[in-house]
């Protein structure tokens, strides 16, 4: 965590200061749906990981401020090596990225020569640099389906997303055994209880959830797709099996509907909240812009290698 160079004046209106700095720095502020509502409300663009990568790829801003997690900001930096890319808290990581160390992944791939390597964007620049193409939860089916059927595929690092894609496309893939520590926590028992007490509700789930949870879902998709489903579906009550930060946009888009989140198995903690996403605060967002730090730095050679599979994804999306 970076230390502020000087404390924040308690009289400051942080939202207005962020807007002022945005213009002064010619910055674009991107926020993922899992960020705190006040961060989402201060951003130029709120989206899923695919939409935010697409905005980062085409922005003409000088500075990209990424209110999300490290792999998202790192992707923006790889797409914009000459721009300043800021992340409010450098410790905002991801269990999927952390669970796929460079040397272990290289050894894993060595056991599957000739395979096409598809990596979920939730991974490090080092993993991306060893991949043929990147995908997000929003385009995973399309990306994998673009690979000729006679090619064998390694899919990393999320085994739940990989299993779901494999099942949907009727296509075997070698899966790296990673998982999201948040989505893996959602309780099947509590989900079924919610469905029993709300028989008219529809359930939407993120494909990072376990098979046990996904089997009860009416709809499975990325955060943006879940948001569309919640807006368009006929049900007035929607059970949401993804990080509850997404409820902010859902409630804004469909104020008349009721959204119920699925708790984690251990109800004594807020285990359905992403602890990494929640490291970012409005204060840290303001400070990173005021102080132009912490900055995302990527090894140039690794960045150059990681760029091609990201660009291949963007071209296919
Ligand atoms: P999306 O691709 O749906 O934005 O999901 C990113 C993520 O980290 C989910 O946990
Ligand atoms: Fe990573 Fe899971 Fe957090 Fe998404 S919710 S950023 S996959 S730890």
């Amino acid at each position: 965590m970076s230390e502020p160079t000087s404390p924040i004046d308690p009289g400051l209106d942080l939202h207005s200061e962020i807007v002022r700095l945005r213009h002064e720095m010619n910055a674009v502020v991107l926020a993922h749906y899992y960020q705190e509502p006040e961060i989402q409300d201060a951003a130029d663009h709120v989206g899923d990981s695919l939409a935010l990568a697409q905005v980062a790829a085409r922005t003409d801003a000088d500075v990209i401020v990424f209110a999300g997690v490290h792999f998202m900001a790192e992707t923006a930096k790889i797409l914009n090596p000459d721009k300043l890319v800021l992340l409010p808290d450098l410790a905002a990581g991801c269990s999927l990225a952390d669970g796929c160390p460079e040397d272990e992944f290289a050894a894993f791939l060595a056991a599957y020569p000739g395979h096409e390597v598809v990596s979920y964007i939730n991974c490090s620049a080092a993993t991306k640099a060893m991949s043929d193409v990147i995908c997000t939860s929003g385009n995973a089916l399309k990306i994998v389906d673009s690979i000729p059927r006679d090619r064998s595929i390694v899919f990393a690092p999320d085994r739940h997303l990989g299993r779901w894609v494999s099942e949907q496309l009727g296509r075997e893939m070698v899966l790296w055994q990673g998982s999201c520590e948040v989505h893996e926590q959602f309780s099947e028992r509590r989900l079924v209880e919610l469905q029993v007490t709300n028989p008219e509700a529809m359930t939407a789930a993120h494909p990072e959830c376990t098979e046990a949870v996904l089997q009860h879902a009416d709809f499975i998709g990325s955060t943006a797709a879940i948001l569309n489903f919640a807006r368009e579906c006929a049900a007035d009550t929607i059970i949401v099996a993804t990080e509850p930060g997404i409820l902010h946009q859902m409630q804004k888009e469909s104020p008349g509907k009721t959204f119920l989140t699925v708790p984690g198995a251990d109800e004594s903690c807020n285990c359905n909240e992403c602890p990494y996403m929640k490291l970012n605060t409005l204060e840290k967002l303001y400070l990173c812009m005021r102080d132009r730090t912490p900055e995302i730095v990527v090894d140039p050679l690794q960045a150059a290698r990681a760029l091609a599979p990201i660009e291949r994804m963007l071209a296919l999306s």
Side-chain angles (χ1 to χ4, degrees):
M1 229 173 283
S2 67
E3 291 301 320
T5 49
S6 62
I8 300 176
D9 174 349
L12 276 187
D13 173 351
L14 293 181
H15 189 103
S16 313
E17 279 301 297
I18 289 166
V19 173
R20 183 185 65 75
L21 284 168
R22 219 162 65 189
H23 290 112
E24 196 176 287
M25 304 163 81
N26 188 26
V28 63
V29 180
L30 311 181
H32 190 266
Y33 291 127
Y34 295 165
Q35 292 292 284
E36 296 288 2
E38 56 187 6
I39 294 182
Q40 295 188 34
D41 291 344
D44 296 292
H45 300 274
V46 186
D48 68 354
S49 53
L50 176 61
L52 296 177
Q54 287 168 327
V55 174
R58 63 168 188 262
T59 185
D60 57 8
D62 295 321
V63 181
I64 299 174
V65 184
F66 216 122
V69 289
H70 191 274
F71 74 81
M72 296 178 178
E74 193 174 54
T75 302
K77 179 68 181 178
I78 293 165
L79 287 163
N80 297 278
D82 299 329
K83 293 190 197 296
L84 175 66
V85 179
L86 302 168
L87 181 66
D89 191 322
L90 267 192
C94 169
S95 67
L96 277 165
D98 295 346
C100 190
E102 182 176 1
D103 47 351
E104 287 177 35
F105 191 53
F108 181 77
L109 292 183
Y112 300 100
H115 284 54
E116 195 85 2
V117 181
V118 183
S119 293
Y120 187 31
I121 198 165
N122 298 39
C123 67
S124 66
T127 298
K128 289 184 176 77
M130 286 184 265
S131 307
D132 295 303
V133 64
I134 303 305
C135 72
T136 72
S137 57
N139 61 17
L141 294 172
K142 194 173 184 178
I143 299 289
V144 172
D145 208 28
S146 75
I147 298 167
R149 287 251 157 196
D150 59 353
R151 293 298 307 273
S152 302
I153 298 174
V154 167
F155 187 94
D158 187 4
R159 66 194 171 105
H160 299 299
L161 174 65
R163 188 209 56 79
W164 178 72
V165 169
S166 182
E167 183 190 277
Q168 293 296 303
L169 297 177
R171 193 156 180 185
E172 273 194 27
M173 300 193 292
V174 178
L175 305 180
W176 175 270
Q177 295 297 307
S179 62
C180 162
E181 68 180 50
V182 181
H183 285 79
E184 215 170 38
Q185 293 263 2
F186 290 117
S187 160
E188 181 192 10
R189 184 181 61 80
R190 291 290 284 118
L191 168 57
V192 172
E193 282 171 10
L194 282 172
Q195 289 178 325
V196 169
T197 47
N198 299 275
E200 73 299 338
M202 296 195 90
T203 300
H206 197 281
E208 286 175 12
C209 293
T210 60
E211 186 176 8
V213 165
L214 293 182
Q215 67 176 331
H216 301 288
D218 299 295
F219 178 81
I220 298 168
S222 71
T223 47
I226 290 176
L227 204 54
N228 290 342
F229 173 81
R231 188 178 55 245
E232 305 298 335
C233 78
D236 289 330
T237 304
I238 295 115
I239 300 171
V240 183
T242 195
E243 216 272 0
I246 197 171
L247 262 59
H248 182 55
Q249 298 298 327
M250 282 182 173
Q251 282 155 348
K252 273 176 140 177
E253 288 186 2
S254 314
K257 294 192 177 185
T258 303
F259 302 104
L260 305 171
T261 53
V262 183
D266 176 0
E267 291 184 43
S268 64
C269 68
N270 289 337
C271 306
N272 61 359
E273 289 193 357
C274 175
Y276 310 104
M277 288 277 182
K278 273 18 188 202
L279 281 176
N280 295 330
T281 60
L282 196 66
E283 286 76 12
K284 289 182 201 169
L285 176 59
Y286 161 70
L287 284 171
C288 87
M289 295 174 77
R290 186 196 71 179
D291 300 340
R292 299 174 77 90
T293 188
E295 177 186 357
I296 298 289
V297 180
V298 189
D299 170 69
L301 195 64
Q302 204 163 64
R305 288 202 188 118
L307 182 61
I310 297 170
E311 286 187 328
R312 185 170 159 197
M313 170 190 80
L314 293 173
L316 285 165
S317 300

